[in-house]
């Protein structure tokens, strides 16, 4: 479960940054809307997958509401999924291997 969540978190973060840093400027400055459409769809799927996986993971680990809220908030802020992966998921990964 954890490896899938970590991969989804990283991909969601990359798609979020690609959407805002690459495809939106292409859409509005270069009048190329098609890349924004495809990256937007991919980001939407990854966003929902991340939220569902984070919720299931929190319930499995019996994490409290605060951690659950932080994981959900991370999906809304640029670079935050990378931070959450390093702070929460890597510690959880270490605890599972011990």
């Amino acid at each position: 479960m954890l490896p899938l969540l970590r991969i989804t978190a990283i991909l969601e973060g990359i798609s979020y940054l690609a959407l805002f840093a690459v495809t939106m400027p292409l859409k509005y400055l270069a009048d190329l809307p098609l890349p924004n459409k495809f990256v937007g769809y991919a980001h939407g799927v990854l966003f929902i997958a991340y939220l569902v996986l984070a919720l299931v993971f929190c319930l499995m680990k019996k994490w409290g509401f605060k951690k659950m809220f932080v994981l959900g908030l991370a999906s809304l802020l640029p670079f935050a999924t990378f931070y959450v992966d390093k702070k929460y998921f890597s510690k959880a990964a270490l605890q599972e291997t011990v």
Side-chain angles (χ1 to χ4, degrees):
M1 175 78 179
L2 183 60
L4 179 62
L5 177 58
R6 293 187 79 182
I7 290 169
T8 305
I10 297 300
L11 290 176
E12 195 273 338
I14 291 170
S15 71
Y16 193 41
L17 293 174
L19 189 64
F20 283 114
V22 178
T23 65
M24 288 188 85
L26 284 174
K27 179 178 179 178
Y28 293 109
L29 300 176
D31 199 29
L32 292 169
L34 201 56
N36 194 40
K37 182 178 181 178
F38 291 119
V39 174
Y41 285 149
H43 172 68
V45 169
L46 289 166
F47 174 78
I48 292 169
Y50 168 76
L51 288 176
V52 169
L53 288 172
L55 176 66
V56 170
F57 185 76
C58 284
L59 293 174
M60 282 176 48
K61 287 289 184 183
K62 296 184 173 119
W63 284 358
F65 178 77
K66 182 181 175 186
K67 284 185 183 178
M68 203 178 304
F69 179 77
V70 169
L71 296 184
L73 184 64
S75 67
L76 302 174
L77 302 172
F79 299 103
T81 56
F82 305 119
Y83 170 77
V84 164
D85 178 58
K86 184 173 175 99
K87 180 163 178 150
Y88 294 105
F89 300 150
S90 63
K91 284 184 182 177
L94 291 174
Q95 288 175 356
E96 279 189 2
T97 59
V98 173

